[in-house]
């Protein structure tokens, strides 16, 4: 039984496992739409063979995600985090639903109209991602590190889930009429269900967990105003925090610029990690790895392997002796990954599929590991409101790296005879 005072503030923290499980599902719902779009690449390359669909979808997605994240990070201290996250999950759900409706309405026909529609939905997903990524990371940054780890594991699980669903549906419908389309739509419909589940969990169940109420009340008592709506949803009056001897004032908080300068190496780690990863995934794997024995299954298998190893690696830092906490060590490890660029180039040109699978596995393994290490180490030693702001800033730099990586992915086309 949870013991609370007369204001509803929990005196005991319970429900840690339930909170970690919900964080995992919320992380999964925050990227399952994008990953489902990526794993439907074989379907979209059939519909739009001359338009480089995955490269274009990701290129459109990222500027909207980055610009929205910049705005939200700047006004982070004045934004209602609850409404921000719910808006993001709602945009994801409705956008995914509209993708399905558009495909059904056009009977899966290609052409410039549906292509422009998918580009518009990619932009919508970018705006949704900006709301959820920074909002959730900031919200969880002042809670225990296991919550961020679970959320990030959920994000990587979104890729693994989308890949596995796509492989299963592709195998199930391969011999049926229009099987490629049926399999793609079924996998996307399942991902849409998970986004609806995230709305329900975050709106109703997550804010009422005792351990979540405890951390949010603590953040409010240290000056954070972004949690007021979440506390109200849990039955706690935000203003009662001052009755316990705390002065909730923003003047004592470090500015965003001060926080960034103190953590610029962590921000650079995330930026460079995702510059490399997104310069290879997914465009390079779909367009530049040549023909192999697996045929049309080859890029799907590669992306699935990357996503699975990305998921596995997010749990490695839970083993304390394997967690990298040195700031210099994290920077060296991040820079060392750029040796993968010539490795991928020569493997695609001269190597067989075994070597490519090995490289993709290592890319996923290092991506998830470094991300979790940075996010769980960086927010230490700050007040709740500062941890929230730092989480938003780190997410901004991560998305900046994603955007730069997506743009650099086009450099692989230099020297190829194909034109856009």
């Amino acid at each position: 039984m949870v013991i609370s005072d007369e204001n509803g503030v929990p005196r005991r923290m319970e429900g840690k496992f339930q909170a970690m499980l919900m964080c995992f599902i919320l992380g999964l719902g925050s990227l399952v739409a994008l990953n489902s779009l990526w794993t439907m690449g074989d379907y979209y390359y059939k519909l739009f063979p001359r338009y480089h669909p995955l490269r274009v979808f990701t290129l459109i997605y990222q500027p909207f995600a980055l610009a929205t994240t910049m705005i939200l990070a700047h006004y982070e201290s004045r934004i209602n985090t609850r409404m921000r996250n719910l808006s993001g999950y709602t945009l994801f759900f409705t956008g995914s639903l509209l993708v399905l409706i558009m495909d059904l309405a056009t009977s899966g026909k290609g052409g410039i109209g549906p292509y422009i529609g998918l580009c518009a939905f990619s932009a919508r997903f970018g705006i949704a991602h900006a709301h959820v990524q920074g909002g959730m990371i900031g919200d969880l940054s002042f809670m225990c590190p296991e919550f961020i780890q679970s959320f990030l594991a959920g994000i990587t699980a979104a890729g693994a889930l989308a890949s596995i669903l796509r492989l299963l549906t592709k195998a199930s419908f391969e011999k049926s009429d229009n099987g490629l389309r049926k399999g793609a739509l079924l996998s996307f419909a399942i991902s849409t269900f998970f986004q609806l589940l995230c709305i329900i969990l975050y709106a109703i169940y997550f804010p009422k967990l005792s351990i979540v109420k405890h951390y949010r009340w603590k953040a409010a008592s240290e000056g954070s105003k972004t949690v007021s709506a979440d506390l109200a949803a849990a039955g706690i009056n935000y203003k009662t925090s001052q009755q316990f001897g705390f002065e909730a004032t923003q003047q004592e908080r470090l500015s965003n610029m001060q926080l960034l300068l103190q953590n610029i190496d962590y921000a650079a780690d995330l930026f460079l990690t995702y510059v490399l990863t997104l310069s290879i995934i997914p465009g390079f794997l779909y367009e530049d790895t040549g023909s192999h024995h697996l045929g049309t299954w080859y890029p799907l298998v590669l992306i699935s392997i990357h996503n699975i190893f990305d998921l596995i690696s997010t749990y490695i830092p839970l083993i304390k002796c394997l967690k990298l906490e040195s700031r210099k060590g994290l920077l060296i490890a991040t820079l060392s990954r750029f040796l993968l660029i010539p490795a991928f180039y020569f493997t695609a040109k001269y190597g067989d599929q075994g070597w490519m699978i090995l490289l993709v596995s290592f890319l996923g393994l290092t991506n998830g590991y470094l991300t979790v290490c940075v996010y769980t180490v960086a927010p230490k030693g700050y007040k709740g409101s500062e941890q929230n702001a730092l989480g938003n800033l780190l997410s901004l730099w991560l998305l900046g790296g994603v955007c730069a990586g997506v743009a650099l992915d086009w450099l692989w086309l230099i020297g190829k005879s194909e034109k856009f």
Side-chain angles (χ1 to χ4, degrees):
M1 181 178 178
V2 181
I3 302 175
S4 303
D5 61 20
E6 65 276 9
N7 298 298
V9 179
R11 292 176 180 170
R12 288 167 51 191
M13 295 189 296
E14 297 179 351
K16 184 176 181 180
F17 175 78
Q18 292 94 319
M20 289 176 64
L21 179 60
M22 289 186 191
C23 287
F24 180 88
I25 297 173
L26 291 169
L28 188 150
S30 70
L31 263 191
V32 71
L34 177 62
N35 281 285
S36 295
L37 203 64
W38 283 358
T39 55
M40 290 167 66
D42 53 346
Y43 174 53
Y44 288 132
Y45 273 97
K46 182 182 177 182
L47 290 183
F48 317 109
R50 299 181 58 189
Y51 296 159
H52 303 281
L54 286 193
R55 279 193 162 111
V56 173
F57 293 163
T58 50
L59 188 65
I60 291 174
Y61 175 96
Q62 295 308 328
F64 281 90
L66 182 61
T68 307
T69 302
M70 290 177 66
I71 295 170
L72 293 173
H74 180 72
Y75 294 104
E76 160 272 328
S77 61
R78 287 171 276 176
I79 292 176
N80 181 328
T81 301
R82 178 176 174 81
M83 291 306 300
R84 172 181 176 175
N85 290 331
L86 285 175
S87 297
Y89 283 119
T90 302
L91 284 171
F92 270 131
F93 169 69
T94 54
S96 298
L97 192 61
L98 288 172
V99 169
L100 292 172
I101 292 172
M102 184 184 74
D103 193 278
L104 293 172
T106 60
S107 300
K109 295 179 181 178
I112 194 64
Y115 184 75
I116 292 174
L118 287 169
C119 290
F121 289 126
S122 296
R124 182 191 182 97
F125 288 151
I127 295 171
H129 187 193
H131 279 76
V132 172
Q133 176 87 7
M136 286 299 302
I137 290 293
D139 199 21
L140 300 177
S141 290
F142 54 74
M143 302 184 194
C144 58
E146 289 85 352
F147 290 2
I148 291 185
Q149 184 276 328
S150 295
F151 181 76
L152 295 173
I155 288 177
T156 57
L161 174 68
S163 298
I164 292 170
L165 285 174
R166 188 69 193 98
L167 290 172
L168 291 175
T169 54
K170 183 178 174 68
S172 300
F173 294 101
E174 190 173 26
K175 296 181 180 179
S176 65
D177 294 334
N178 212 8
L180 190 63
R181 175 175 176 249
K182 292 177 182 176
L185 292 182
L186 178 59
S187 62
F188 207 76
I190 295 173
S191 73
T192 304
F193 165 76
F194 277 101
Q195 291 156 35
L196 177 61
L197 180 61
C198 287
I199 296 174
I200 296 170
L201 286 179
Y202 189 81
I204 300 173
Y205 297 103
F206 188 68
K208 295 181 180 179
L209 292 174
S210 295
I211 191 168
V212 174
K213 289 195 287 185
H214 169 85
Y215 280 118
R216 282 176 171 163
W217 176 82
K218 184 175 182 293
S221 70
E222 294 174 346
S224 177
K225 296 180 180 179
T226 62
V227 295
S228 58
D230 291 300
L231 290 173
I236 301 174
N237 186 351
Y238 169 79
K239 295 180 179 179
T240 61
S241 61
Q242 296 185 7
Q243 298 175 7
F244 294 87
F246 298 102
E247 185 64 30
T249 166
Q250 292 291 329
Q251 281 75 13
E252 299 176 1
R253 206 202 84 169
L254 293 174
S255 68
N256 284 356
M257 183 57 68
Q258 289 172 316
L259 286 169
L260 179 59
L261 291 176
Q262 290 180 11
N263 297 275
I264 191 64
D265 54 329
Y266 290 129
D269 290 337
L270 290 173
F271 180 88
L272 295 173
T273 295
Y274 283 84
V275 162
L276 176 65
T277 300
L278 270 294
S279 67
I280 296 169
I281 305 287
F284 175 82
L285 297 186
Y286 268 97
E287 298 187 19
D288 304 297
T289 53
S291 301
H292 295 272
H293 298 303
L294 292 172
T296 59
W297 288 81
Y298 188 53
L300 285 177
V301 170
L302 291 178
I303 288 182
S304 299
I305 289 172
H306 170 272
N307 290 334
I308 290 170
F309 276 89
D310 196 11
L311 172 60
I312 293 171
S313 66
T314 59
Y315 288 94
I316 295 176
L318 291 179
I319 305 172
K320 193 169 183 180
C321 63
L322 297 179
K323 184 177 181 180
L324 183 59
E325 298 190 17
S326 165
R327 300 178 79 146
K328 186 180 292 186
L330 284 168
L331 188 58
I332 291 172
T334 300
L335 293 173
S336 299
R337 291 179 81 234
F338 280 84
L339 293 172
L340 288 171
I341 292 178
F344 270 100
Y345 174 79
F346 288 109
T347 300
K349 196 168 185 179
Y350 304 110
D352 59 22
Q353 56 193 27
W355 285 107
M356 183 62 72
I357 288 172
L358 180 64
L359 283 178
V360 168
S361 302
F362 186 74
L363 182 71
L365 198 65
T366 52
N367 185 80
Y369 175 78
L370 291 173
T371 303
V372 171
C373 285
V374 171
Y375 269 122
T376 54
V377 171
K380 293 180 179 178
Y382 294 102
K383 295 185 298 183
S385 56
E386 293 167 341
Q387 290 171 318
N388 190 355
L390 180 57
N392 275 269
L393 291 171
L394 292 177
S395 295
L396 173 61
W397 278 70
L398 184 152
L399 284 173
V402 170
C403 191
V406 168
L408 292 172
D409 182 41
W410 287 82
L411 295 179
W412 293 106
L413 294 178
I414 293 177
K416 294 186 72 175
S417 58
E418 261 185 71
K419 302 296 180 183
F420 181 77

